[in-house]
Amino acid sequence: MAVGESQSGIMDSYLDATPRSRVAHERSVAVMPGGAKGAYHYAPYPVFFESGDGCRLVDVEGRTLVDCANHHTAQIVGHRHPAVMAAIEAQLKRGVVLGGPTGVETELAEELCDRVESLERVRFCNSGTEATLHAIRLARGVTGRPKIAKFEGGYHGSHDAVEISVAPPLGEAGDPLAPTAVPGVVGMAPAAAEDVVILPYGNIDAVTGIVESHAAELACILLDPKAGMLAPVDGFAVAVSELAREHGILLVADEVVAFRLARGGWQQTVGVTPDLTTFGKLVGGGFPIGAFGGRADLMDRLDTRAGPTGFFQSGTFSAHPVAMAAGLATLKQLTPEAFERLDRMGRQLESGLTAVFGRHEIPLTCVVAGSLFSLYFLPDPPRCYRDLVAGERGWNSPVFHSLLQQGYFLSHSLAMNALSLPMESGDVDGLIAAVDSSLERVLSDGQP
Ligand SMILES: Cc1ncc(COP(=O)(O)O)c(C=O)c1O
């Protein structure tokens, strides 16, 4: 087969199969720059969806796809779960937003505090972005220190304090063991990067050196374990947590994605007790949400009942009752048995993919954590951002489209995918077989 033949064939088939998505896309870009949001786009245009039910999506052409992306990992119990739908409908009957608390937010807060050992108090907002913004602000306010530390490659939302060194070009990123702080987007406050210290993920000696030299000015260390994206490094989170404690630096665990791993979150799986934790995604049951919480003595600075404390957090739609009801109903489904089921399917996927990768001649690997998974064209599971960017990415798009053609919808980068509870082991086997045949087809071209 000529180089590129099957890959261009895959694209031609996509164009033939998706005329309605193309029309919808053209209409959308006339009024929204490039489409509804950055993360939706992939070439040549994204599939537009009509509906979702359980672990399946139906696109506007009427094709059924197994949903392995689950709305950027936010959907865990599947689409239109009966208990979640019932909770949403019951809440809607009371009105949408009423200008005061309705009590459902207390129930969700209680549920979270019951699940996550480090959580004594929690506050709700509208996105993971807001959650990290408020957690960092609280950390700066409490410690009186100006800077924060985050890991290279860590994404914590879209605001100036964290959009630093998220995906820096290697030419600007500096020494892998002492990375340079690189602003992620244009238009940020010119000094934004000056307040952020960048740490190399996975190397505790290098992290210790950097933290020690900035200790007196660091308010917090923001740590996202990148579950399902980076291979876990044994003992690393505990070591970071001890280092932070030693220097009076607050540890903020970003569990916007990682809360998918266990009833008590990622922190339960590694035995770390952060000072503050941020949440989002699944906690809203499919509705916009963010939450941040932790030690009572820190969070109680936000208690302004007796008068201004200088600290403040609010928001027109924060603690939105419908999101609270959907989130609560979702969490109620997430029993220990549910996590066991998700973990079992994750292990099935990992062993199936590993066997598939062994049959192909180029470097391929996957990272699976609980129900989260990523596929990479790399010889070994990446342990940090620098490993990640070393991978070949030219095959991502053809493999993504080939999987789509076979009825499996993944993230278009092939990273940060997620299984959901309504999936059956047959869906997982189907996905493994689809990955195998996608690789067979795409790699036959020889070059990305
Ligand atoms: C670890 C992490 N933190 C924060 C965010 C930001 O959340 P949101 O997109 O809800 O603003 C994300 C989003 O993907 C994330 O993955």
Side-chain angles (χ1 to χ4, degrees):
M1 188 179 287
V3 168
E5 195 176 299
S6 76
Q7 292 175 27
S8 62
I10 289 168
M11 275 304 184
D12 289 345
S13 309
Y14 182 73
L15 295 172
D16 288 345
T18 56
R20 292 191 169 139
S21 283
R22 185 168 62 243
V23 170
H25 170 71
E26 281 163 8
R27 185 174 167 193
S28 82
V29 295
V31 284
M32 292 179 281
K37 64 181 186 189
Y40 274 164
H41 186 69
Y42 45 84
Y45 49 80
V47 169
F48 277 62
F49 292 111
E50 183 62 36
S51 61
D53 196 27
C55 65
R56 286 179 165 67
L57 298 164
V58 177
D59 75 358
V60 290
E61 325 291 338
R63 299 181 306 175
T64 299
L65 304 164
V66 178
D67 189 2
C68 305
N70 280 296
H71 201 86
H72 317 294
T73 76
Q75 292 285 77
I76 189 165
V77 298
H79 302 281
R80 307 185 69 248
H81 187 285
V84 178
M85 295 302 285
I88 294 167
E89 281 160 18
Q91 193 63 39
L92 281 173
K93 282 195 183 127
R94 299 172 65 189
V96 181
V97 272
L98 306 178
T102 63
V104 66
E105 61 286 330
T106 312
E107 286 182 71
L108 182 56
E110 286 168 350
E111 182 71 28
L112 282 171
C113 291
D114 179 56
R115 284 171 178 255
V116 183
E117 213 179 300
S118 67
L119 224 60
E120 294 175 314
R121 303 273 194 280
V122 65
R123 272 279 180 94
F124 295 106
C125 46
N126 302 290
S127 63
T129 293
E130 274 184 56
T132 59
L133 182 153
H134 286 295
I136 289 169
R137 201 179 265 182
L138 185 59
R140 281 203 177 112
V142 170
T143 60
R145 298 176 178 179
K147 297 194 180 184
I148 69 158
K150 73 174 280 289
F151 289 87
E152 189 174 48
Y155 179 68
H156 303 281
S158 46
H159 58 95
D160 281 12
V162 292
E163 244 172 335
I164 312 285
S165 295
V166 173
L170 287 188
E172 296 170 35
D175 181 346
L177 296 184
T180 306
V182 182
V185 287
V186 295
M188 297 171 70
E194 289 170 20
D195 288 331
V196 183
V197 172
I198 301 298
L199 306 172
Y201 194 80
N203 186 322
I204 194 62
D205 291 338
V207 169
T208 303
I210 298 170
V211 167
E212 280 176 355
S213 66
H214 291 275
E217 50 186 4
L218 284 178
C220 65
I221 299 176
L222 193 49
L223 175 60
D224 164 19
K226 289 225 160 254
M229 285 192 83
L230 292 181
V233 178
D234 279 351
F236 183 66
V238 172
V240 171
S241 156
E242 283 166 1
L243 180 66
R245 192 140 305 148
E246 199 181 314
H247 295 286
I249 303 166
L250 300 179
L251 181 69
V252 181
D254 184 345
E255 295 230 28
V256 167
V257 172
F259 191 48
R260 240 184 186 266
L261 290 191
R263 190 177 183 278
W266 159 79
Q267 52 198 261
Q268 178 194 344
T269 70
V270 288
V272 160
T273 308
D275 301 289
L276 294 169
T277 303
T278 55
F279 303 89
K281 299 205 193 257
L282 79 84
V283 170
F287 284 83
I289 201 163
F292 64 105
R295 277 168 38 201
D297 64 307
L298 302 174
M299 290 298 292
D300 283 348
R301 307 291 183 107
L302 295 166
D303 182 346
T304 49
R305 285 175 298 171
T309 60
F311 293 81
F312 191 68
Q313 180 267 332
S314 190
T316 302
F317 290 118
S318 291
H320 193 290
V322 185
M324 300 289 108
L328 184 62
T330 298
L331 288 186
K332 295 282 188 202
Q333 301 305 311
L334 297 178
T335 57
E337 296 70 36
F339 282 108
E340 266 167 40
R341 179 181 165 79
L342 289 165
D343 289 352
R344 201 164 46 241
M345 288 194 290
R347 287 194 298 273
Q348 179 190 347
L349 181 66
E350 186 169 25
S351 64
L353 288 176
T354 306
V356 162
F357 294 162
R359 288 201 285 277
H360 295 274
E361 275 168 16
I362 65 151
L364 280 159
T365 192
C366 60
V367 175
V368 182
S371 56
L372 294 159
F373 68 100
S374 302
L375 315 182
Y376 298 111
F377 291 93
L378 281 171
D380 299 301
R383 290 159 56 101
C384 65
Y385 172 71
R386 304 287 172 120
D387 290 352
L388 205 64
V389 287
E392 172 57 64
R393 293 186 220 184
W395 278 302
N396 286 356
S397 174
V399 168
F400 163 78
H401 278 288
S402 170
L403 286 168
L404 200 58
Q405 224 172 69
Q406 296 179 73
Y408 294 86
F409 181 69
L410 276 76
S411 132
H412 53 274
S413 68
L414 304 182
M416 212 166 95
N417 300 289
L419 305 174
S420 65
L421 265 181
M423 283 181 170
E424 300 286 346
S425 124
D427 295 310
V428 178
D429 281 339
L431 172 60
I432 297 164
V435 169
D436 196 13
S437 73
S438 294
L439 293 171
E440 188 78 27
R441 186 167 178 203
V442 168
L443 301 183
S444 66
D445 281 351
Q447 296 292 322

